[in-house]
Amino acid sequence: MRALPVVFDCDPGKDDAFAIFLALACPEALNVLAITTLGGNVPIEHTTGNALRILAAASRTDIPVYRGCARPMLKALETAEESHGVDGLGGSGLPDVSGAPQPDHAIAAIIRMLETCPEQLTIAAIGPLTNIAMVLIARPDLADKIGHLAVMGGAQGRGNMTEYAEFNIHVDPHAAHVALSVCAPITLVTLDTTRNLRPPMSWFEAMEHANEPARALAGMWREAPIALYDVAVTALLLWPELFTLEACTIDVVLEGERAGQTVITTGEGKDRLLTGIDEVALLSRIAQTMTG
Ligand code: BDR
Ligand code: CA
């Protein structure tokens, strides 16, 4: 089977880094064409620098990095240094790198990849959806070149930024509204199924004694653990048999105290909501992949 062509649109971020490292550890299944960045967990300078650090740590500097939107469409950027560290990869010990992102903007790069990719592209969107929305605003005709938009964002239950809103949607609800209403098909990985994806520190022990990038992951989680939110998106692409999905429709609340809430109705619709994970099997496969 040919490796699935995928673009990671992201704001690394510890769990973004983990999601990318996991993908890069499985080149026979996933062909990472590019990493596009945006402001999110930390400002764009850091998320872009971190994408370059991640690729250097995985010895994959052949993969291009494109710097994208610095801020959300209408709101000021809210960041999450308390979870990810000041530079976004707190505790990783990964050195700064001298490389630079590609000269093109991420929006232009995604448009070009959609135009030229002989098959449909999968986009793993694991940050706010600003870049994706801008692509779809600029070139709605390319929406059907996206074979699958796999998104980490939203919640049916409690949010992690407000009672209702999850971080990626909260940061740019307007972009989420555009991206989630235009694109087909979408798989939504929400807080409901990922907030408890928190392996104990003992799970990281083997990684601590392994080479990069496993060592860097163990360092980040030892400093301040967070749930493996974004990692679930990569895992879904790699091992769909470990996940339960339900057809759904998704809407985003734009105003009022519920702003940033995802309104998800299951039962029918073109999109799919991740509703179940075989966590034991998943953690075992991730550990094996990262240390093996
Ligand atoms: C999401 O927000 C970010 O902090 C994480 O990287 C993840 O994409 C979880 O709410
Ligand atoms: Ca993220």
Side-chain angles (χ1 to χ4, degrees), residues 114-138:
L114 291 172
E115 280 175 336
T116 57
C117 189
E119 48 198 308
Q120 287 183 314
L121 268 191
T122 293
I123 299 181
I126 53 176
L129 287 155
T130 322
N131 288 340
I132 306 303
M134 294 296 282
V135 166
L136 293 167
I137 288 169

Side-chain angles (χ1 to χ4, degrees), residues 10-13 15-16 41 84 126-128 168 230:
C10 58
D11 59 340
D15 57 329
D16 302 71
N41 286 318
H84 297 270
I126 53 176
N168 289 337
D230 295 341

Side-chain angles (χ1 to χ4, degrees), residues 10 42 56 71:
C10 58
V42 285
R71 50 154 287 180

Side-chain angles (χ1 to χ4, degrees), residues 20-235:
I20 295 166
F21 282 139
L22 181 62
L24 297 177
C26 303
E28 68 296 335
L30 298 179
N31 175 16
V32 180
L33 297 183
I35 296 186
T36 54
T37 63
L38 78 167
N41 286 318
V42 285
I44 184 86
E45 291 72 23
H46 283 313
T47 59
T48 307
N50 290 344
L52 294 164
R53 292 163 80 196
I54 289 163
L55 291 173
S59 304
R60 287 303 309 270
T61 50
D62 57 302
I63 296 174
V65 172
Y66 297 94
R67 177 180 160 130
C69 294
R71 50 154 287 180
M73 287 187 164
L74 299 183
K75 297 172 69 178
L77 178 64
E78 282 180 62
T79 51
E81 282 86 356
E82 67 288 355
S83 301
H84 297 270
V86 174
D87 73 354
L89 298 182
S92 70
L94 290 177
D96 284 338
V97 290
S98 54
Q102 300 296 310
D104 301 357
H105 195 279
I107 298 170
I110 296 171
I111 288 175
R112 195 183 54 244
M113 287 186 276
L114 291 172
E115 280 175 336
T116 57
C117 189
E119 48 198 308
Q120 287 183 314
L121 268 191
T122 293
I123 299 181
I126 53 176
L129 287 155
T130 322
N131 288 340
I132 306 303
M134 294 296 282
V135 166
L136 293 167
I137 288 169
R139 292 293 304 275
D141 57 302
L142 291 175
D144 63 5
K145 290 296 299 285
I146 302 176
H148 182 193
L149 180 64
V151 175
M152 194 285 134
Q156 282 189 300
R158 198 164 39 84
N160 57 0
M161 288 301 284
T162 70
E163 194 183 333
Y164 305 102
E166 176 278 334
F167 180 83
N168 289 337
I169 310 295
H170 171 85
V171 167
D172 198 342
H174 305 93
H177 176 72
V178 172
L180 298 176
S181 59
V182 176
C183 241
I186 294 162
T187 305
L188 194 65
V189 176
T190 64
L191 281 183
D192 311 295
T193 44
T194 54
R195 66 164 20 113
N196 293 325
L197 210 50
R198 291 175 188 269
M201 225 27 239
S202 56
W203 184 78
F204 286 92
E205 247 162 48
M207 291 197 208
E208 225 152 17
H209 302 293
N211 295 328
E212 298 289 28
R215 189 216 50 80
L217 290 174
M220 288 193 277
W221 261 259
R222 184 164 288 290
E223 181 162 290
I226 63 168
L228 305 186
Y229 308 106
D230 295 341
V231 185
V233 170
T234 303

Side-chain angles (χ1 to χ4, degrees), residues 214-286:
R215 189 216 50 80
L217 290 174
M220 288 193 277
W221 261 259
R222 184 164 288 290
E223 181 162 290
I226 63 168
L228 305 186
Y229 308 106
D230 295 341
V231 185
V233 170
T234 303
L236 174 68
L237 300 177
L238 288 171
W239 306 304
E241 68 279 9
L242 301 183
F243 297 85
T244 311
L245 301 170
E246 279 183 40
C248 72
T249 59
I250 310 160
D251 207 353
V252 179
V253 179
L254 296 180
E255 282 174 7
E257 63 163 352
R258 290 178 184 257
Q261 183 181 28
T262 43
V263 179
I264 303 165
T265 310
T266 52
E268 56 179 7
K270 71 170 175 60
D271 300 325
R272 295 174 305 171
L273 174 69
L274 177 65
T275 54
I277 304 178
D278 180 344
E279 288 186 18
V280 174
L282 177 65
L283 291 181
S284 142
R285 284 200 203 181
I286 295 174

